[in-house]
């Protein structure tokens, strides 16, 4: 039996709310399964590129066959479909177990079970099942990547629309609008969105935005 490792990732320090959820989820999983993480890796980096994540590279280097890595969800592993699929399959071939607490259908145990069933079938059924397995992984990885792109585009489109509005001075919001609150929640969960983008879209100052961010965190 190998060792257990946990991996947590946020894009910047501003995503602490998401970070706390990862911590609680990973702790609960360890308690429920009576395991102890040998090492807990923490990263404040984007999920765009494995090579730009030093803690992930360190983890990748020390993993051995039989070891298990636990993530809260697939997006903590990566939000890049093509390279994510390659890395996932590489880990499977190395005998590494992968657990996505919130995405069990793409955890390695489930994928290996499907692969085992495929191996026991005739050539036609086997080929079809192997295609289903690959499609399942790619679809889930692509979903994470497209979500990141969608969030970024939604903010950009909002900025473009906001420049047509007038009659409101920067920082002069009497109360937080539903649109601003929604965008702040997106910002807290996905750091492809920046404070500057929110300031431009809603025509508010940095200090005003920070005030609303704090109010949103307290809810």
């Amino acid at each position: 039996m190998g060792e257990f490792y946990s991996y947590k990732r946020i894009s910047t320090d501003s995503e602490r709310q998401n970070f706390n959820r990862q911590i609680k989820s990973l702790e609960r999983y360890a308690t429920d399964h009576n395991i102890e993480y040998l090492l807990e890796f923490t990263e404040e980096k984007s999920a765009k590129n494995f090579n730009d994540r030093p803690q992930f590279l360190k983890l990748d280097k020390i993993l051995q066959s039989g070891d298990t890595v636990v993530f809260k969800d697939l997006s903590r592993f990566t939000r890049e479909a093509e390279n994510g699929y390659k890395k996932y399959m590489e880990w499977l071939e190395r005998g590494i177990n992968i657990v996505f607490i919130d995405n069990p259908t793409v955890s390695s145990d489930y994928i290996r079970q499907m692969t085992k069933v495929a191996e026991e079938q005739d050539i036609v059924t086997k080929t079809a099942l192997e295609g289903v397995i690959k499609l399942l992984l790619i679809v889930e990885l692509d979903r994470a990547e497209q979500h990141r792109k969608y969030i970024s585009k939604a903010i950009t489109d909002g900025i473009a629309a906001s420049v047509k509005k007038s009659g409101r001075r920067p920082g002069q919001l009497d109360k937080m609008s539903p649109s601003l609150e929604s965008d702040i929640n997106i910002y807290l969960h996905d750091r492809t969105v920046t404070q500057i983008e929110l300031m431009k879209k809603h025509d508010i100052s940095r200090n005003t935005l920070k005030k609303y961010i704090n109010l949103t965190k307290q809810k």
Side-chain angles (χ1 to χ4, degrees):
M1 183 176 179
E3 303 290 353
F4 282 82
Y5 301 88
S6 70
Y7 180 87
K8 302 180 291 293
R9 185 190 58 75
I10 58 174
S11 297
T12 70
D13 190 60
S14 300
E15 204 182 1
R16 288 295 169 188
Q17 188 176 3
N18 183 281
F19 214 175
N20 290 335
R21 284 197 295 270
Q22 291 183 62
I23 293 171
K24 291 178 181 178
S25 183
L26 290 165
E27 288 177 346
R28 184 166 54 251
Y29 182 88
T31 299
D32 291 346
H33 292 80
N34 194 29
I35 63 173
E36 182 177 352
Y37 300 122
L38 178 65
L39 290 173
E40 299 184 53
F41 288 86
T42 299
E43 194 116 61
E44 294 190 24
K45 284 285 184 177
S46 162
K48 293 180 180 179
N49 193 316
F50 288 115
N51 292 330
D52 292 336
R53 292 154 60 184
Q55 290 301 305
F56 185 91
L57 293 177
K58 182 178 179 181
L59 169 63
D60 193 16
K61 186 176 181 179
I62 66 175
L63 287 173
Q64 300 181 16
S65 179
D67 288 345
T68 300
V69 185
V70 184
F71 303 82
K72 182 182 183 297
D73 56 65
L74 184 63
S75 66
R76 300 306 99 191
F77 174 64
T78 184
R79 281 183 172 167
E80 190 179 19
E82 184 174 353
N83 287 334
Y85 177 75
K86 291 178 182 178
K87 178 58 67 174
Y88 185 101
M89 296 308 296
E90 175 195 317
W91 277 16
L92 282 189
E93 292 173 3
R94 289 168 56 186
I96 297 165
N97 302 309
I98 315 165
V99 174
F100 301 115
I101 298 172
D102 294 350
N103 309 101
T105 57
V106 286
S107 291
S108 60
D109 279 353
Y110 185 78
I111 296 299
R112 285 195 175 104
Q113 288 175 16
M114 292 184 65
T115 302
K116 183 178 179 181
V117 171
E119 292 292 335
E120 297 171 351
Q121 308 303 313
D122 60 74
I123 186 64
V124 175
T125 307
K126 176 184 175 182
T127 302
L129 285 175
E130 287 175 343
V132 170
I133 294 168
K134 182 175 182 179
L135 182 63
L136 172 63
L137 287 171
I138 291 178
V139 165
E140 290 301 319
L141 287 163
D142 185 66
R143 191 196 309 276
E145 181 173 357
Q146 294 306 317
H147 176 70
R148 172 179 60 81
K149 291 180 179 178
Y150 170 80
I151 295 298
S152 180
K153 184 177 185 302
I155 294 296
T156 301
D157 289 348
I159 292 171
S162 69
V163 298
K164 299 178 181 179
K165 298 179 181 179
S166 61
R168 175 161 51 87
R169 296 173 58 193
Q172 296 302 306
L173 289 177
D174 293 331
K175 65 178 182 179
M176 183 161 43
S177 67
S179 174
L180 175 57
E181 184 174 4
S182 175
D183 284 347
I184 288 175
N185 277 309
I186 291 172
Y187 163 80
L188 291 172
H189 290 79
D190 193 318
R191 288 302 296 116
T192 59
V193 178
T194 67
Q195 289 190 11
I196 292 177
E197 288 174 328
L198 292 179
M199 289 161 55
K200 288 181 178 179
K201 177 179 178 180
H202 295 279
D203 194 19
I204 56 177
S205 68
R206 185 178 296 276
N207 287 337
T208 301
L209 175 60
K210 287 182 177 179
K211 179 180 68 175
Y212 288 140
I213 289 174
N214 290 331
L215 288 174
T216 303
K217 287 180 177 179
Q218 293 170 12
K219 290 188 175 182

